[in-house]
Each structure stands twice: as C-alpha cells, then as structure tokens.
Amino acid sequence: MEPDDLAVPNQALVTREAVGIFDDEPSMQAAIDELLTAGFGRCELSFGGAQTGAEASLSARQLADDPNAHRTNQFSPEVLGDAEGSLIGGFAVIPVLGASWAAGAAGAGLIATAGVAIASGGAGALIGLGVAYAVARRRRQGLATQSAHGGLLLWIRTRTVEMEERAQAIMRRHAAHDVHSHDLLPLTSP
C-alpha cells in the first residue's frame, strides 16, 4: 500500500457557532451562567468587543455574522471584582512596604513607622480605587456603545447540533433576539 493511499481526502471541516443579541447585561449574564452550567466552556463564549474604524458604524445585527468582528473573552462579574480589588490592594500595599522600610531604616519608632504606613497605604488605596474606577467606567462605556448599536452580542461555538440547539434555546430563554447559528470560515484538513 502506498502512503498516498492512506491520505484522508481533502474535505472542509466547518465550525459552527450560535449567536444572539441581548438588550442588557443582566440578561446576557444570566444566559452565560446557564450556558456554563449546561456544559459549555468559557473558551467557547465570546462577546462583542470595542469596535473601531468601519466596524464602529455597523449594527449588532450586521456584526453578528461577521467572522472578523472584534470579539473579547467573557469574564465573570466575580473575576472583574477580584481584579478591581487587586488593583486597590496592590496600590495600597506597595507604598506601605516602601514607606515602612524607609521609616525603619531612618530609625523611626514603631508608632511613627505605623503612622507612615497608614498614610502611605491610604494614599495608595485611593490611587488604586481611581484606577479600578477608570477600568470599570471604560467597560461600562463599551457596553453602552454596543447597546446603542443594537445590543450586546454573544457568540457560542458549538461542537454538535445538540449543543447548537441548546445554546439557542438558552439565549432565547434569557430574552436574546436575532438568535441563529452560522458557519465560521471552513478549515481544510490535510
């Protein structure tokens, strides 16, 4: 038997995804929570990211079937809260450590060192709070822009027809509209 006889014929492998448009973030988050409970992985979910250039003028419906539309990973509210807490805590801890070391190295007493630590930690926490607020504000603005262009897009990659139907049903249950599925760019097998 020749090696060419063992070759798989060149056939297109098609990946499909379900897509839906939500009017608000709580509805989309409820659908995401149910999708994760129903066996979909976070890596199979993506949602509309910040649109730039020509994309910025397109509606959510137009972007829903565009394979080149900017997409971002989905982050749970808990992860976003953890990130905000880390920003605030990080900006609080670093100045405390530096100020405490400097005060101790200068020969300051325990009370003076504690006072310096508290003051620098408070100032650092305020800076961290400002950074966390800016990050959250940017995210809210992105969601508001998407809503103004017709809604929040959620794409779910599906591996089987059953998963496709399940994803569509879950999105509809959580008030998504224009729910449908489509093929992604076909991949060619060797």
Side-chain angles (χ1 to χ4, degrees), residues 3-89:
D4 290 337
D5 294 338
L6 299 175
V8 176
N10 192 9
Q11 64 186 56
L13 301 174
V14 178
T15 302
R16 291 188 52 84
E17 68 182 357
V19 62
I21 303 172
F22 293 86
D23 291 328
D24 58 68
E25 187 181 12
S27 297
M28 184 173 73
Q29 187 59 52
I32 289 168
D33 292 342
E34 187 174 344
L35 286 161
L36 294 173
T37 302
F40 292 89
R42 262 191 210 286
C43 62
E44 296 169 316
L45 308 178
S46 58
F47 66 99
Q51 307 302 331
T52 59
E55 279 185 349
S57 64
L58 298 177
S59 70
R61 183 66 187 105
Q62 291 168 312
L63 291 170
D65 295 321
D66 182 355
N68 297 316
H70 183 75
R71 301 170 184 216
T72 63
N73 295 326
Q74 192 280 328
F75 295 102
S76 69
E78 295 81 12
V79 169
L80 294 171
D82 289 348
E84 289 175 353
S86 296
L87 284 170
I88 296 167

Side-chain angles (χ1 to χ4, degrees), residues 99-100 103 109-122:
S100 298
L110 182 61
I111 293 176
T113 302
V116 167
I118 290 169
S120 62

Side-chain angles (χ1 to χ4, degrees), residues 83-97 124-125 128:
E84 289 175 353
S86 296
L87 284 170
I88 296 167
F91 276 100
V93 168
I94 292 170
V96 166
L97 294 175

